[in-house]
Amino acid sequence: ATNATPKADVKDIIQTVRGNCGMNPTHILMSLKVFENLMVVDEIKDYFQYTAPHVVKPHEVQKQLLGQYLGLEVIVAGAVYNSAAEGASASLSDIWDDEYVLIFKRSDGIGDPGIGWTINWQDDSPGNINAETYREEQTRSTVYRVRHHTQSNVFAAEFGYLGANVTS
């Protein structure tokens, strides 16, 4: 994706992506913290004013409403990893940084342009995840074998923009 901006308005980034590639972006990716920060921006709070998105499954409803407001599908990255040194007590950290959002055009198929592809490169793993279980009597246990052979690559950076310190 293109360089991060010092302070960005989502609507400006949408226009930047459109200007770079000639197509409207389709998705916005952010951390949970950025999502929660966006939900308290006055302009967005005003949009939600009469919708009561907090009543049922607040994040899912809020994601849908924010997506309607922005005209983008909202992806909230929630995965964490253990950032502690090996052997030290676990210290979980978010994979996606709390300062940035990625606004991008996702490809929906081989003929549809977008920021990149996730390529499945193994014959023995035809789906996203190939899981098998079998019984091993000599160890009196059930074996779970899972394979996932993919590689994600950015092929057209002009279809995305990484924004920092994002506002509405």
Side-chain angles (χ1 to χ4, degrees):
T2 319
N3 294 339
T5 56
K7 182 160 177 127
D9 182 294
V10 170
K11 294 172 193 164
D12 291 341
I13 297 174
I14 291 170
Q15 291 309 312
T16 299
V17 172
R18 187 172 184 271
N20 288 344
C21 69
M23 301 180 82
N24 288 323
T26 56
H27 291 73
I28 182 169
L29 172 65
M30 67 189 81
S31 71
L32 180 59
K33 183 177 179 182
V34 171
F35 173 73
E36 289 172 345
N37 289 343
L38 278 176
M39 298 311 295
V40 297
V41 170
D42 287 338
E43 188 177 337
I44 294 173
K45 282 174 36 179
D46 289 345
Y47 181 76
F48 286 169
Q49 186 173 7
Y50 301 108
T51 62
H54 60 283
V55 176
V56 180
K57 293 185 182 177
H59 282 201
E60 287 306 312
V61 174
Q62 289 174 343
K63 276 175 41 180
Q64 289 172 358
L65 290 171
L66 182 61
Q68 288 172 3
Y69 175 74
L70 297 173
L72 301 168
E73 184 175 326
V74 176
I75 302 169
V76 177
V80 296
Y81 72 100
N82 183 3
S83 61
E86 189 171 334
S89 296
S91 176
L92 299 181
S93 299
D94 286 319
I95 291 175
W96 192 254
D97 192 281
D98 285 340
E99 185 176 346
Y100 299 100
V101 300
L102 177 64
I103 296 177
F104 62 100
K105 161 76 173 70
R106 188 185 86 184
S107 174
D108 286 326
I110 193 89
D112 185 35
I115 194 168
W117 291 85
T118 299
I119 301 164
N120 186 348
W121 50 270
Q122 284 288 334
D123 290 336
D124 69 338
S125 179
N128 194 18
I129 294 175
N130 189 20
E132 303 169 340
T133 60
Y134 58 91
R135 183 79 182 154
E136 232 178 47
E137 285 305 323
Q138 72 266 17
T139 57
R140 292 187 285 182
S141 61
T142 301
V143 176
Y144 296 91
R145 178 178 162 184
V146 180
R147 293 185 308 282
H148 180 69
H149 302 291
T150 60
Q151 177 66 45
S152 295
N153 290 319
V154 173
F155 292 110
E158 65 271 14
F159 284 89
Y161 198 93
L162 188 62
N165 301 317
V166 172
T167 62
S168 65

